[in-house]
Amino acid sequence: MLNSEYLKNLNKAQKEAVTYLDGPLLIVAGAGSGKTKVLTTRIANIIKEKKAYPNQILAVTFTNKAAKEMQIRVSKILGSSATGLSWLGTFHSICAKLLRKHAPAVNLKSNFTIIDTDDQTRLIKNICKAENIDIKQLAPRYILAIIDKWKNKGFYPNEVLINQKDVYEKTILPIYKIYQQKLIDLNSCDFGDLILHAVKILEKNKDLRKIYSTNFKYILVDEYQDTNFIQSRWLKLLSEKNKNICCVGDDDQSIYSWRGAEIKNFLEFDQVYENTKVIRLEENYRSTENILAVASNLIANNENRVGKTLKTTLNEGELVKLNCYKNGKDEAIGISDEIEKIKQEYSYNNITILVRAIFQTREFEERFLKIGLPYRILGGIKFYERAEIKDCIAYLRLVYQEKDDLAFERIVNNPKRSIGDSTIKSIHEFSKRQKDCLEISSRKMIEENLIKPKAKIGLMSFLDLISKWRNDLTIKKMGHVKLLQTILDESGYSAMLKNKKDLENENRLENIKELLSAMKEFDNLESFLDHVSLATSIDQEWEGEKVNMMTMHAAKGLEFDVIFLPGWEEGLFPHQKSIEEKGQSGLEEERRLAYVGLTRAKKKVVVSFSMNRFYQGDWIDSMASRFIDELPDKYLEKNSFFDETKEEIEEFEFNQDIENESGINSPGWIRYQKRIK
């Protein structure tokens, strides 16, 4: 039964966005302004007003979850009328449906398979092997990332124009040609192909394009600021006849350029589609007035934006807290203390720490484990459970004691030493018969010449290194931090991460650097390994409510009562790499990321920075992020560190921390005080 009240629950701008049904429409939907409600109500209204049948509406989202939620909401308004929404789904699901109908046009059969990332990687590895390309130097995942980039730009292999000076692209293009032909031979396509093939079919076949663009009387797109070139091209082709395309999004939340998203799709929408109507949803239903004022003032510093003025329906709320700490450890203590103070008022599940880089979670995890504060890592893996960290720990465990078979098995062929599964199986069988550990069994098998020549060389080299590192530890009394650095260098593990062209390796290296910093806090290897064992065992026992930790990127689309935003320091946030690679556009995207972080909060925000970071075994003198200067003072509550006067500050040597009556002064803190006074 039709819910006739569905328009009454909308504000003026929302109602206009729902009822405007003639021509291109761009809905600039600010954070927490009810964009999903508008989209679903608009679909319902189109059907109710008999402007189109459900199967004449194309509604596109980025996730299956969003598509399902949209379906449910429309059904609540219309009842059974929503069942005919056969073209509601993600870009990939809808393109797959279209492609099944017209597969022969791209040399596929309609029963083609869609291969996943593992299958893609396996195929690339096989191609590299056949073409004598060293995957240690050019990782399959990096090759696939470049191929995906080309597909997102709308290029088949014969259409790619490469930079001849780029040695990687020159090598990858021939691989792309072979890869694409292999997919055709296998009657398969990858996720990038789904949209690329769909676009090529529509571009080459005018009659078919006319059929689809005529059928789709209304097109609706969620999160339009996250679209890439090929997605926007597909939408343009399908809206060719009726022009009734409605795109919803927020340019201030465009944070995925590294994934191919092009903000210009949003900013230039009215140039691509003539006679575009622009409606701004500026009423925020999520955040308090003070939080919104801080976020709006910050994002106003971006030049490339459509622009909007958000206002809240809620009360003033608490001031946004701005805390300065002496160092990262104190920051973790300060935030945990704050959580302890508010835990009666807010559920742990509604408290979230948002970081710029995933390695930042380590100090918080250490602190939370120490005081028994339960937590979860959303969209990521807990620090001591990350593969590269477990590898490092395994090396240290085996050096510490030879009977650690689990550690042995994990690292004996990591990096690759030509010790395959069959060799490891043989060692296991020998070990079982001899009732010895894997390491001793390996040494005996070498003596008895029971290992194949190639594997024998790799195994001997590995065992010699283990003996050498044990000597470094026990005889030479090498410190545990230096020991791990030595292991990483001499094992080839560091070189493996540094040399491999792989998009994830930068994060892995950052995590290892953070591990080295963590180890400095312990007197010896034994105490550190005990700490790690305790950390991982305790971690698994917690159930129920937990404080959330995640990156700001992972928080997009979520909301929580309380948000903590630590590490607002130059180089970390805005991230140095982003500015170096993209200049002003990189800085603006970092600012949009800050905006996203702030607007996840409903009731309480705490921003913090520290004046010193312990990084890679050294104290780094840090400076408060430029974004701190862009936060309006009248909406901020600062901690006691800000009470220092200029007269109380003296000059100290670089990287010194001096205790005095008024607390601790560090060089970074002094520098910041001089800058702000």
Side-chain angles (χ1 to χ4, degrees), residues 33 116 156 203 314-315 343 524 534 575 612 618:
S33 62
D116 61 16
Y156 278 148
E203 283 181 339
L314 305 176
N315 58 21
K343 69 181 182 184
N524 51 50
L534 186 65
H575 204 281
N612 289 277
D618 289 312

Side-chain angles (χ1 to χ4, degrees), residues 340-507:
E340 293 285 6
K341 285 179 194 171
I342 63 173
K343 69 181 182 184
Q344 300 302 322
E345 191 177 351
Y346 301 103
S347 143
Y348 283 149
N349 288 337
N350 250 315
I351 300 173
T352 299
I353 299 171
L354 299 181
V355 295
R356 174 60 182 86
I358 196 65
F359 77 85
Q360 290 174 260
T361 66
R362 198 272 305 173
E363 278 187 304
F364 296 102
E365 290 187 60
E366 298 275 13
R367 175 64 184 170
F368 285 18
L369 288 167
K370 189 174 181 179
I371 64 173
L373 196 61
Y375 71 94
R376 65 170 70 85
I377 306 287
L378 291 181
I381 303 166
K382 293 179 178 180
F383 186 80
Y384 287 112
E385 292 173 7
R386 293 168 197 167
E388 62 278 9
I389 302 301
K390 291 179 87 166
D391 291 343
C392 291
I393 301 298
Y395 269 108
L396 291 170
R397 277 169 44 186
L398 188 61
V399 169
Y400 185 66
Q401 73 106 349
E402 69 180 7
K403 292 184 179 181
D404 195 330
D405 283 356
L406 291 173
F408 180 95
E409 194 168 10
R410 184 176 183 94
I411 54 145
V412 66
N413 199 40
N414 187 15
K416 301 290 184 192
R417 300 185 178 93
S418 303
I419 305 166
D421 291 342
S422 60
T423 303
I424 293 170
K425 187 182 176 185
S426 302
I427 297 169
H428 268 288
E429 289 169 351
F430 188 90
S431 165
K432 195 173 178 180
R433 288 196 305 271
Q434 297 289 315
K435 296 184 176 161
D436 279 324
C437 65
L438 296 181
E439 183 183 331
I440 291 173
S441 297
S442 300
R443 296 185 187 279
K444 285 181 179 176
M445 287 179 76
I446 289 170
E447 287 172 12
E448 295 176 24
N449 207 26
L450 298 174
I451 305 284
K452 291 178 182 176
K454 196 174 179 183
K456 184 179 176 180
I457 294 167
L459 191 56
M460 284 176 66
S461 169
F462 172 71
L463 293 170
D464 286 346
L465 282 170
I466 294 293
S467 298
K468 188 261 179 189
W469 296 328
R470 279 197 192 119
N471 188 65
D472 288 341
L473 179 67
T474 56
I475 308 300
K476 293 185 178 179
K477 304 295 181 186
M478 184 181 283
H480 55 299
V481 179
K482 177 68 177 171
L483 177 66
L484 180 57
Q485 289 170 327
T486 304
I487 289 170
L488 290 168
D489 288 341
E490 293 179 355
S491 67
Y493 196 94
S494 289
M496 174 184 75
L497 294 183
K498 287 173 184 173
N499 297 337
K500 209 183 222 181
K501 200 69 180 167
D502 188 322
L503 298 177
E504 291 182 13
N505 279 344
E506 191 174 320
N507 280 337

